Amino acid sequence: MLTLPEPSVTPLRGGPTLRWGVLGPGGIAQDWVSTVHRHTDQRVVAVASRSSDRSQAFAVRHGIPHAFEGHEALLASPDVDVVYVAAPHAQHRPLALAAIAAGKHVLIEKPMALDAQEAEEISQAAKAAGVFAMEAMWTRYLPQSDLVSRLLADGAVGEVRTVTADLGWRWEYSAGDPRFDPTIGGGVMIDAGVYPLWFAHSVLGPIDSVHAIGSVAPTTAEIEAVIALRSASGALASLSASATTTTPGLASVYGTTGSILFDSSFVFPARLRILSDGGEHEWADESGLAGRDGLAWQATALAAYVAEGRTQSPLHSLDDSIAVLRVLDDVRRQIRRHAE
């Protein structure tokens, strides 16, 4: 009889705390700060934007004591321990490098950079400076992700042979929408497709074969993708991402003696079914956090890692971030080449 292990995650309260600064007070930063302040002991003490009015309004809304125009003043502040880079994709690299150069730890919104080469530059800079750097692949820090990892390590489904994952949010096309501008990181892969790619990598490990087809917008940004992967072990993955339709966001892992099935979106706090020789089991996230409230978990994890003297995440390393981006780069090349 299979007994489900208890997920092991950093507690949301009662652990080490850091003083956070936010670069880029956009939509994801709004959600991140809201859940961090509601559900953890971490505190955001500063925010910076190119617009003074924008940073001031964000600070007032979230009870943040310091608001700056431009990132330089925030990075010079001795009151900031760690920086959350929540700016648009094209700003991840320059802002992360600036934070690292200022000696700040850094959490960089996913994906860490526009491509693998930029991610490698960030990784090398962080290692040279001896500061902590982590991609905000927040789903990895949810309780369900630890449960899946433990089940796989225990051989609960036998040898993994196939992984599936989909994610799609419908976007209305506009030529002026940055989501459709490939020169600044537009396209469905960098926005949504990175999640299925991460999930496959987290389960299968290194990928040695990538095949992708898809569609592009008039701007050449990819708007649909279907991806087949083969891992170094020979296991397969079937993934999809879409900006033309909204999908359930389901994922699954199939092994030789059982399977793990997500009954709700694998990106958010979720429900799982585990089928094995020991029968069928159900598991649901009981933290009380739903949707983007789950962003809180990565903040407390990072604070704990810094307190332990680490310089990168033991769950999703800088090399993991780079490996996922290498596959993402390959997928985009194939889609755009086939669309010519």
Side-chain angles (χ1 to χ4, degrees):
M1 176 67 70
L2 174 67
T3 300
L4 296 185
E6 282 294 323
S8 177
V9 291
T10 306
L12 291 173
R13 295 193 181 275
T17 59
L18 293 172
R19 300 169 299 175
W20 292 78
V22 172
L23 298 181
I28 189 65
Q30 297 274 7
D31 291 342
W32 184 86
V33 174
S34 294
T35 188
V36 165
H37 278 179
R38 284 199 312 272
H39 300 296
T40 83
D41 297 328
Q42 309 298 316
R43 283 297 172 266
V44 178
V45 300
V47 58
S49 170
R50 288 176 294 182
S51 163
S52 176
D53 289 344
R54 193 164 179 238
S55 60
Q56 288 284 353
F58 189 93
V60 170
R61 179 175 180 178
H62 295 284
I64 299 171
H66 303 294
F68 299 105
E69 181 177 4
H71 66 270
E72 294 87 356
L74 185 150
L75 296 180
S77 172
D79 296 326
V80 174
D81 302 313
V82 56
V83 172
Y84 172 44
V85 176
H89 302 313
Q91 293 301 308
H92 288 187
R93 172 191 168 275
L95 291 178
L97 292 176
I100 291 165
K104 306 296 186 185
H105 305 301
V106 63
L107 174 67
I108 310 157
E109 191 46 60
K110 63 83 199 158
M112 193 164 76
L114 290 180
D115 55 38
Q117 183 176 344
E118 287 191 358
E120 287 176 348
E121 187 177 357
I122 294 169
S123 175
Q124 291 168 6
K127 290 174 182 177
V131 300
F132 185 95
M134 182 173 110
E135 180 183 32
M137 188 56 72
W138 63 287
T139 305
R140 179 61 186 91
Y141 301 92
L142 298 177
Q144 68 214 33
S145 293
D146 186 75
L147 175 64
V148 170
S149 293
R150 287 173 177 266
L151 288 169
L152 297 178
D154 292 344
V157 298
E159 179 188 357
V160 174
R161 299 307 306 159
T162 308
V163 171
T164 71
D166 75 83
L167 195 62
W169 297 297
R170 188 173 186 273
W171 303 341
E172 290 294 336
Y173 175 72
S174 169
D177 189 330
R179 293 177 299 179
F180 296 96
D181 185 348
T183 66
I184 56 173
V188 72
M189 285 307 303
I190 205 166
D191 215 320
V194 67
Y195 285 109
L197 291 183
W198 157 76
F199 184 75
H201 174 84
S202 71
V203 174
L204 300 180
I207 303 299
D208 68 4
S209 181
V210 179
H211 299 277
I213 58 173
S215 305
V216 298
T219 58
T220 75
E222 72 283 349
I223 55 174
E224 295 174 308
V226 175
I227 307 150
L229 306 178
R230 184 180 63 211
S231 72
S233 68
L236 304 176
S238 175
L239 315 174
S240 65
S242 178
T244 65
T245 185
T246 298
T247 74
L250 303 182
S252 57
V253 179
Y254 297 99
T256 53
T257 63
S259 55
I260 302 170
L261 310 174
F262 280 75
D263 283 342
S264 59
S265 178
F266 75 96
V267 172
F268 305 119
R271 302 184 307 275
L272 307 180
R273 283 186 297 137
I274 299 91
L275 310 178
S276 73
D277 290 345
E280 179 173 345
H281 301 262
E282 294 185 355
W283 180 91
D285 186 312
E286 297 180 349
S287 67
L289 277 61
R292 280 186 166 181
D293 280 346
L295 288 162
W297 291 106
Q298 63 186 347
T300 53
L302 186 150
Y305 299 152
V306 169
E308 293 167 0
R310 299 180 184 273
T311 55
Q312 58 182 300
S313 169
L315 300 183
H316 186 67
S317 70
L318 296 174
D319 285 346
D320 288 328
S321 298
I322 293 166
V324 171
L325 272 168
R326 285 200 187 103
V327 176
L328 191 150
D329 291 346
D330 196 357
V331 168
R332 289 187 297 189
R333 280 193 296 267
Q334 292 186 38
I335 292 173
R336 291 171 186 174
R337 184 173 67 246
H338 294 155
E340 291 176 353

